[in-house]
Amino acid sequence: MTKILLSLHVLAAIVAVGPVTVAASMFPAAVRKVQVAVPAGAGAGEPAGPGDVGTVRLLHRICRVYAALGIAVPVLGLATAAAMGVLGDAWLITSITLTAVAAGLLVAFVLPRQEELLEELAGRRPVERARTARLAMFTGVFNLLWATVTVLMVVRPGSTTGA
């Protein structure tokens, strides 16, 4: 049963967390491209029309939907850890903490800022580059947290089952 749970946990992480990290990373640059893509006949400095926002909207939707699906990752992870008898191990507690921080960052900072920028673009208002840079920073921290959790899951320092 442990191998099945572990397999499901890893698959859930790949299928759910992977798309969020990629789409969230692409989002700030996609917003900046919409800013640059001025429709024919528009004056310099005017934002692009709402029709140019499709990619940005899609990236945000990927982040929202796969973030919701991502709840399966810690659920399956906890079930796997319980089956393996490692719930009290330091590497797992650290991973759980970092996962909670990453989820909080996504929900509190990344997704709301994506929505704000999307509304700006849909309303044909220019977006300040500093706002996309801040979003990129939050996204980078989110991705770094997930990379750290992944390393902890593979290495499992102090674990008798680790490499």
Side-chain angles (χ1 to χ4, degrees):
M1 184 63 163
T2 301
K3 289 181 181 183
I4 292 171
L5 285 171
L6 181 58
S7 297
L8 291 173
H9 172 62
V10 170
L11 285 171
I14 292 167
V15 170
V17 178
V20 174
T21 59
V22 172
S25 295
M26 293 172 65
F27 190 92
V31 169
R32 287 190 290 269
K33 281 184 182 175
V34 170
Q35 294 292 98
V36 172
V38 178
E46 289 183 26
D52 299 319
V53 182
T55 300
V56 177
R57 194 178 315 279
L58 175 64
L59 291 171
H60 176 62
R61 184 171 182 194
I62 289 169
C63 290
R64 263 193 1 255
V65 169
Y66 283 91
L69 294 174
I71 292 171
V73 177
V75 169
L76 289 166
L78 287 171
T80 303
M84 293 174 70
V86 295
L87 282 173
D89 287 8
W91 65 270
L92 183 68
I93 294 168
T94 302
S95 294
I96 291 168
T97 302
L98 293 176
T99 297
V101 172
L105 188 64
L106 182 67
V107 170
F109 293 97
V110 175
L111 293 175
R113 280 176 174 72
Q114 284 183 351
E115 289 171 13
E116 290 170 5
L117 294 175
L118 192 53
E119 288 175 12
E120 293 284 321
L121 292 176
R124 301 188 68 155
R125 294 183 300 273
V127 174
E128 295 176 25
R129 184 169 176 83
R131 292 180 68 201
T132 60
R134 277 191 298 275
L135 176 59
M137 177 196 64
F138 288 125
T139 301
V141 172
F142 170 78
N143 291 343
L144 183 61
L145 288 168
W146 275 117
T148 304
V149 169
T150 301
V151 170
L152 285 172
M153 291 288 130
V154 172
V155 176
R156 301 184 291 192
S159 171
T160 57
T161 59

